[in-house]
Amino acid sequence: MPPMAHKELKRKTEKINEGKDVNGDDGWFWIVHKGIGAAFISIAVFGFLVRLAVSVHPYSGAGTPPKYGDFEAQRHWMEITLHLPIKDWYTNTSSNDLSYWGLDYPPLTAYQSYFHGLFLRFFLPESVALFSSRGHESYFGKLLMRWTVLSSDALMFFPAVFYFVFVYHAGRKNSHKSEIAWHIAMILLNPCLILIDHGHFQYNCISLGLTVGAIASVLSNNDLTACFLFSLALNHKQMSAYFAPAFFSHLLGKCLRRPNPLLEVLKLGIVVLGTFSLIWWPYIDSKEAFLQVLSRLAPFERGIYEDYVANFWCTTSVLIKWKRLFTTPTLKLLSLAATISTCLPSMVQQIWDPSKQGFLYGLLNSAFSFYLFSFQVHEKSILLPLLPASLLAIEEPFLHNWMTLSALFSMFPLLVRDKLVLPYIALLALFSLLNHAAPIRSRGTTGTNSLRSFVTSFFLLCALILHAVYFTMPAPDRYPFLYEALIMLLCFAQFVSLAVYTNAKQWMLLKRPILVQKEKKLL
């Protein structure tokens, strides 16, 4: 073949390959060729089936009397809300022993428990009968409980993700169909959320779904809707407060740049107060009732940490015995100061220069501050910083991959206790496969340097060794929780590194407008 003809053939081949990438004609073509709507439905159905498969495995506290676990806590709340007056739901009475899984989430969770209890009572009344249903573990009862989570996920989290993806990619100039499909898969098939909600047994899908809806509303400039949805999230799980500094600072920054900032702030405040008043209505007519509910939401008596969670207080307790050195009131102040001081830079950046991309980083940084430094953090709390990391998966594929693997590993001891090792391995493999099959532009190859490769390789090697040792070698009698402590230390190091990185990335956004202006002057 003549040299000129060879060059022309090469040029045409490159052009065809470019066209394939633009049209999404790559490894994801089979799922996007019918459009993004059809792709979302396909991924959602697959995600639902994965959740269904995990649901057939054990749950928290299965067959372990007298208090069982989170499964029994959720069922007991249905029992209580069905049979007691609304004023007694949070009060210790002869019919409501708060020491036995007393309600400790905001009123919206109590209302959710009531409606789910109606569902269970319709099909199996004995599963929510007062007193006699404690520890109920019949096959049909467990099936009904699992369906309450599955339906909550399908009705709350899935539509919120669709709303977010639609808004997020509408604001991006070069979003390819294959990238959008992969992004949907990364959010809906988050292994940590699936294992906690459909394995361990919780309803994080509701509060996180409301939060995702609020984030999408902010990105579409529907700030009043965002305030309403986020207020609902706060009233479903108080842990949603992890995101509150980011919402507050971003919305305040936007209001300060409008013609009537005071009026704008007032409108947002009215929506928030109105939503809270509506949800707390049964308790706001009595100061005693209101304070009783409030006291249930802040379990300070449990101490600053429990188990081996990969946050600052628990990790450093290896060297500093916080509980011995300080009283609980002092530790409350220390944790509050540490949390506020670490999320303050992110807040300042968004008040100073609010942007949609900065808002997403702000959500991650705020959630990291709470996870690392706030009072009484659980292993499951890592779901909150993980959410904005998954929303940023297109822009930060390396961050999302590293964050997900670290979060999943941090929950490993909890999942072992729940006998969820098989779904843990299966979802880890599924996530790795999907991450490896990411569209070329979403693999983050250009942003991956040798240091990142070394750090991730070292983490994966350590994690692999700890997995093997955990299953094959019993811990020394003198240090029965040695492996849990090592996992905690390893994961804490990852989370701190990620938090430093994402805070730096958020502040680097300030340089972009300056660079754009310089480029315009050069042109």
Side-chain angles (χ1 to χ4, degrees):
M1 183 182 291
M4 290 297 293
H6 185 272
K7 288 182 179 178
E8 182 66 17
L9 178 61
K10 185 178 180 182
R11 185 184 66 80
K12 287 184 177 180
T13 303
E14 289 175 351
K15 189 173 182 180
I16 290 170
N17 288 335
E18 277 186 8
K20 284 183 178 181
D21 184 54
V22 169
N23 294 316
D25 190 9
D26 54 16
W28 290 78
F29 174 73
W30 64 277
I31 202 170
V32 300
H33 72 285
K34 291 291 185 181
I36 295 303
F40 180 86
I41 293 173
S42 301
I43 297 169
V45 169
F46 179 70
F48 188 85
L49 292 175
V50 170
R51 287 160 166 78
L52 194 62
V54 173
S55 297
V56 304
H57 290 83
Y59 48 81
S60 170
T64 55
K67 291 191 68 173
Y68 301 90
D70 279 16
F71 179 92
E72 170 63 9
Q74 302 288 346
R75 189 215 58 78
H76 179 63
W77 294 349
M78 298 178 196
E79 167 197 345
I80 292 300
T81 54
L82 276 176
H83 295 284
L84 300 184
I86 195 168
K87 290 284 182 71
D88 292 343
W89 288 356
Y90 292 89
T91 306
N92 195 56
T93 65
S94 57
S95 300
N96 185 21
D97 180 7
L98 293 182
S99 64
Y100 184 82
W101 298 120
L103 260 168
D104 54 9
Y105 283 152
L108 194 58
T109 287
Y111 304 148
Q112 167 229 313
S113 298
Y114 173 77
F115 286 109
H116 281 158
L118 292 175
F119 171 74
L120 261 70
R121 187 169 67 180
F122 180 80
F123 290 99
L124 191 65
E126 58 267 30
S127 66
V128 285
L130 192 62
F131 300 126
S132 63
S133 64
R134 289 192 177 185
H136 184 92
E137 289 188 304
S138 70
Y139 174 78
F140 191 41
K142 289 185 282 189
L143 186 65
L144 292 172
M145 288 286 287
R146 288 296 197 186
W147 274 105
T148 61
V149 186
L150 286 163
S151 60
S152 297
D153 215 341
L155 294 173
M156 296 296 297
F157 190 71
F158 283 45
V161 170
F162 181 77
Y163 179 29
F164 169 81
V165 169
F166 177 80
V167 171
Y168 177 81
H169 288 281
R172 287 170 59 88
K173 294 180 181 179
N174 299 315
S175 287
H176 297 176
K177 288 181 179 179
S178 54
E179 284 186 321
I180 299 173
W182 180 78
H183 198 188
I184 294 168
M186 288 295 99
I187 302 172
L188 289 185
L189 293 169
N190 183 307
C192 299
L193 178 59
I194 294 174
L195 285 167
I196 291 300
D197 274 16
H198 302 278
H200 179 82
F201 200 93
Q202 284 199 344
Y203 295 92
N204 294 289
C205 54
I206 297 178
S207 57
L208 292 181
L210 291 167
T211 301
V212 172
I215 294 169
S217 297
V218 169
L219 298 184
S220 59
N221 296 316
N222 295 317
D223 295 343
L224 296 179
T225 304
C227 286
F228 172 69
L229 291 174
F230 186 59
S231 295
L232 291 179
L234 284 168
N235 280 287
H236 185 264
K237 281 202 171 184
Q238 61 268 45
M239 286 191 305
S240 299
Y242 283 30
F243 301 121
F247 274 95
F248 173 80
S249 56
H250 179 77
L251 293 175
L252 178 61
K254 288 174 69 174
C255 289
L256 293 176
R257 280 153 183 77
R258 290 173 180 167
N260 297 303
L262 190 60
L263 179 62
E264 297 297 329
V265 171
L266 184 62
K267 287 193 293 186
L268 298 179
I270 289 172
V271 172
V272 171
L273 289 175
T275 307
F276 269 77
S277 298
L278 184 65
I279 294 172
W280 284 72
W281 187 258
Y283 305 102
I284 58 178
D285 62 338
S286 166
K287 181 181 178 181
E288 184 181 353
F290 177 79
L291 293 177
Q292 174 61 25
V293 178
L294 210 58
S295 67
R296 295 293 304 161
L297 307 184
F300 293 120
E301 71 280 356
R302 297 181 187 175
I304 195 165
Y305 60 83
E306 286 183 293
D307 293 328
Y308 284 86
V309 59
N311 79 336
F312 174 80
W313 305 110
C314 193
T315 304
T316 56
S317 68
V318 175
L319 299 174
I320 306 170
K321 304 305 177 185
W322 299 102
K323 293 181 179 180
R324 295 180 191 172
L325 292 174
F326 301 98
T327 62
T328 296
T330 303
L331 288 174
K332 284 194 288 185
L333 290 174
L334 285 173
S335 65
L336 179 63
T339 304
I340 292 175
S341 60
T342 51
C343 72
L344 196 58
S346 175
M347 294 177 67
V348 170
Q349 192 275 335
Q350 276 302 281
I351 294 172
W352 183 6
D353 183 31
S355 66
K356 292 178 180 179
Q357 189 178 19
F359 172 58
L360 293 176
Y361 279 103
L363 289 165
L364 179 50
N365 291 324
S366 172
F368 257 141
S369 294
F370 274 79
Y371 177 82
L372 292 173
F373 296 103
S374 63
F375 200 98
Q376 189 51 220
V377 173
H378 297 276
E379 306 100 313
K380 301 168 286 245
S381 302
I382 195 60
L383 292 176
L384 284 97
L386 186 57
L387 177 67
S390 64
L391 301 183
L392 282 164
I394 289 291
E395 295 182 38
E396 294 280 1
F398 173 80
L399 165 70
H400 172 248
N401 180 41
W402 189 6
M403 176 79 182
T404 303
L405 292 175
S406 300
L408 191 57
F409 187 44
S410 73
M411 298 190 303
F412 176 66
L414 172 70
L415 299 173
V416 170
R417 290 198 300 269
D418 291 342
K419 298 180 177 63
L420 293 169
V421 175
L422 181 59
Y424 169 85
I425 295 172
L427 286 177
L428 175 59
L430 176 62
F431 172 78
S432 301
L433 180 64
L434 289 172
N435 192 64
H436 181 72
I440 291 177
R441 295 198 317 162
S442 299
R443 289 179 189 165
T445 52
T446 57
T448 303
N449 54 35
S450 57
L451 178 61
R452 286 183 177 183
S453 299
F454 172 76
V455 170
T456 50
S457 299
F458 179 75
F459 167 72
L460 291 174
L461 178 63
C462 292
L464 182 63
I465 292 172
L466 282 172
H467 276 94
V469 170
Y470 198 99
F471 286 120
T472 57
M473 295 176 61
D477 293 336
R478 188 176 178 183
Y479 304 106
F481 300 106
L482 174 64
Y483 300 147
E484 285 83 355
L486 291 174
I487 291 171
M488 172 190 69
L489 289 166
L490 180 62
C491 292
F492 174 72
Q494 311 308 308
F495 295 147
V496 170
S497 303
L498 289 166
V500 171
Y501 169 78
T502 53
N503 272 277
K505 286 283 288 189
Q506 183 178 345
W507 274 93
M508 285 171 63
L509 295 175
L510 292 174
K511 298 180 181 179
R512 292 190 180 184
I514 299 172
L515 292 173
V516 171
Q517 288 178 4
K518 286 183 178 179
E519 287 176 2
K520 286 181 178 179
K521 287 179 180 179
L522 290 172
L523 292 172

